[in-house]
């Protein structure tokens, strides 16, 4: 409160302050002003702006002090809650953690939260979904596996589901390697197709294909398939990597059931089976008139010995399976028949010099 008058002097004109009923800014007491019933939406907005900038400056001071005193100190991070938001208060942070709940863990909401942080030029790590005591824990594994794929498909991360608080009255969660290691090993094996790649197009139920210009089209399957095409910007020869995630669910909007602070509507689900589907990719958006070849990369079943060997040697190639996949030209699209996913795969397109 004590710093507010000086901030007003720097950021508001004398005429604006007079209109707000602030005659002498140097001795202005905002607390007394509000208690006297003189506050207005305009004065409150100035107060919020001041408060947010003060919080930002405090964190800059704290972050820079830590880096000065502790040379090994690197990332300065924030738990940005389940209701993802971004404003001036968050500018000092390098990346953010977003907590997920069973009731709000869906592909559309994950995408929308990630967009908030992406537009700010920051990075997002998701927390595995948490439950309350009334929700069945059998959803934990399929939901977490879907979120792992979806998080990396969007360009984010998911904290490893191990030793986690997941809800009041529920024991801490210790995920088993046989439940998740196949996906994490697959991601590590495909670092060459993740590092430095940025989103180029996407498609999936309720994301709106028009946002990607109909570069990607999905037909059939479970109704819960999402595709994110990523490549290296300004590198026309770079692989095009299409992340495919099957949530295995039929999606339905339930208007008004829940709306978070960013104004995003909730999605509820009817559990459905994963199934093969057709993916169509507009060829002109790939390599122009040039031919290209495709491979489908999938995670093999978890094998403890294979994973330990990869960790010891640093060679993770055995933690992915790769096979050529054919496609048919259908008008301006290349049509791929994608087998059932469990639940994540990468479709890699590269120029074909032999054609």
């Amino acid at each position: 409160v004590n710093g507010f008058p000086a901030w007003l002097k720097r950021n508001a004109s004398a005429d604006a302050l007079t209109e707000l009923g602030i005659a002498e800014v140097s001795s202005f007491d905002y607390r007394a002003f509000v208690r006297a019933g003189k506050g207005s939406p305009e004065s409150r907005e100035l107060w919020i702006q001041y408060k947010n900038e003060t919080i930002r400056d405090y964190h800059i001071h704290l972050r820079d002090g830590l880096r000065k005193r502790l040379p090994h100190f690197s990332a300065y991070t924030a738990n940005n809650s389940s209701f993802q938001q971004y404003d001036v208060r968050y500018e000092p942070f390098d990346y953010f953690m977003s907590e997920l709940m069973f009731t709000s863990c869906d592909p559309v909401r994950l995408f929308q939260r990630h967009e908030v942080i992406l537009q700010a030029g920051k990075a997002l790590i998701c927390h595995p979904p948490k439950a309350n005591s009334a929700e069945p824990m059998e959803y934990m594994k399929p939901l977490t596996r879907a979120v792992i794929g979806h998080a990396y498909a969007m360009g984010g991360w998911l904290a490893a589901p191990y030793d986690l608080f997941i809800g009041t009255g529920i024991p801490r969660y210790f995920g088993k390697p046989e439940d998740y290691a196949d996906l994490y090993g697959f991601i590590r094996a495909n670092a060459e197709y993740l590092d430095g790649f940025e989103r180029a197009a996407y498609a999936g139920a309720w994301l709106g294909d028009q946002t990607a210009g109909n570069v990607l089209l999905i037909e059939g399957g479970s109704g819960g398939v999402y595709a994110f095409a990523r490549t290296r910007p300004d590198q026309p020869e770079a692989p095009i990597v299409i992340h495919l995630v099957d949530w295995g669910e039929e999606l339905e909007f339930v208007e008004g059931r829940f709306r978070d602070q960013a104004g995003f509507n909730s999605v509820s689900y009817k559990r459905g089976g994963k199934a093969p589907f057709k993916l169509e990719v507009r060829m002109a958006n790939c390599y122009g008139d040039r031919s290209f070849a495709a491979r489908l990369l999938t995670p093999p079943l978890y094998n403890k010995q294979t994973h330990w060997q990869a960790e010891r040697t640093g060679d993770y190639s055995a933690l992915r399976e790769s096979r050529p996949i054919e496609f048919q030209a259908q008008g301006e699209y290349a049509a791929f028949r994608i087998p059932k996913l469990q639940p994540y795969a990468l479709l890699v397109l590269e120029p074909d010099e032999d054609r």
Side-chain angles (χ1 to χ4, degrees), residues 6 36 76 127 158 169 208 284 312 319 325 331:
Y76 193 65
H127 185 287
L158 183 80
R312 284 193 295 267
L319 305 186
I325 183 169

Side-chain angles (χ1 to χ4, degrees), residues 75-80 84-86 90-91 93-98 113-126 151 154-158 230:
Y76 193 65
T77 67
N79 184 331
N80 205 16
Q84 206 64 47
Q85 54 187 309
Y86 187 88
Y90 299 100
E91 289 177 0
F93 297 98
D94 299 307
Y95 61 83
F96 301 92
M97 172 73 80
S98 179
R113 288 180 185 174
H114 191 263
E115 282 296 282
V116 175
I117 300 305
L118 182 66
Q119 296 305 316
K122 304 286 186 175
L124 179 66
I125 298 177
C126 291
M154 296 184 300
W157 299 273
L158 183 80
R230 303 180 65 82

Side-chain angles (χ1 to χ4, degrees), residues 248-259:
E249 302 184 1
E250 179 182 352
L251 313 182
E252 288 185 347
F253 266 110
V254 181
E255 291 290 342
R257 183 171 71 87
F258 186 86
R259 182 179 292 273

Side-chain angles (χ1 to χ4, degrees), residues 15 54 76 85 98 105 141 146 188 207 242:
D15 289 344
T54 301
Y76 193 65
Q85 54 187 309
S98 179
C105 182
K141 177 181 171 180
R188 181 62 184 85
L207 291 188
I242 303 174

Side-chain angles (χ1 to χ4, degrees), residues 232-297:
R232 295 181 182 272
D234 302 319
Q235 296 185 28
E237 300 294 315
I240 298 168
V241 181
I242 303 174
H243 297 243
L244 302 169
V245 187
D246 190 348
W247 286 69
E249 302 184 1
E250 179 182 352
L251 313 182
E252 288 185 347
F253 266 110
V254 181
E255 291 290 342
R257 183 171 71 87
F258 186 86
R259 182 179 292 273
D260 69 18
Q261 294 177 20
F264 302 139
N265 287 328
S266 181
V267 175
S268 68
Y269 301 93
K270 292 181 179 178
R271 181 69 57 176
K274 297 177 179 64
F277 60 94
K278 182 168 76 170
L279 174 72
E280 296 181 66
V281 183
R282 185 189 285 148
M283 291 182 284
N285 291 87
C286 296
Y287 298 101
D289 295 330
R290 299 173 60 187
S291 299
F292 57 86
R295 290 178 296 130
L296 185 67
L297 309 182

Side-chain angles (χ1 to χ4, degrees), residues 112-186:
Q112 292 169 325
R113 288 180 185 174
H114 191 263
E115 282 296 282
V116 175
I117 300 305
L118 182 66
Q119 296 305 316
K122 304 286 186 175
L124 179 66
I125 298 177
C126 291
H127 185 287
K130 299 188 296 185
N132 64 45
S133 57
E135 292 169 330
M137 281 303 295
E138 62 262 28
Y139 287 114
M140 182 70 184
K141 177 181 171 180
L143 273 177
T144 300
R145 288 180 62 85
V147 174
I148 291 171
H150 210 76
Y152 281 89
M154 296 184 300
W157 299 273
L158 183 80
Y162 190 82
D163 194 10
L164 300 176
F165 170 80
I166 58 169
T168 303
I170 303 174
R172 294 184 72 84
Y173 183 74
F174 292 84
K176 298 177 181 178
E178 56 266 31
D179 290 339
Y180 305 111
D182 61 323
L183 296 179
Y184 281 105
F186 178 68

Side-chain angles (χ1 to χ4, degrees), residues 4 7-8 11-12 42-57 87-89:
F4 194 30
W7 185 90
L8 287 172
N11 292 279
E42 292 77 14
S43 63
R44 185 175 185 277
E45 183 61 33
L46 287 172
W47 166 255
I48 291 173
Q49 186 179 345
Y50 160 71
K51 181 183 68 172
N52 287 350
E53 291 183 10
T54 301
I55 293 171
R56 175 201 61 192
D57 294 345
D87 57 41
V88 68
R89 294 172 295 171

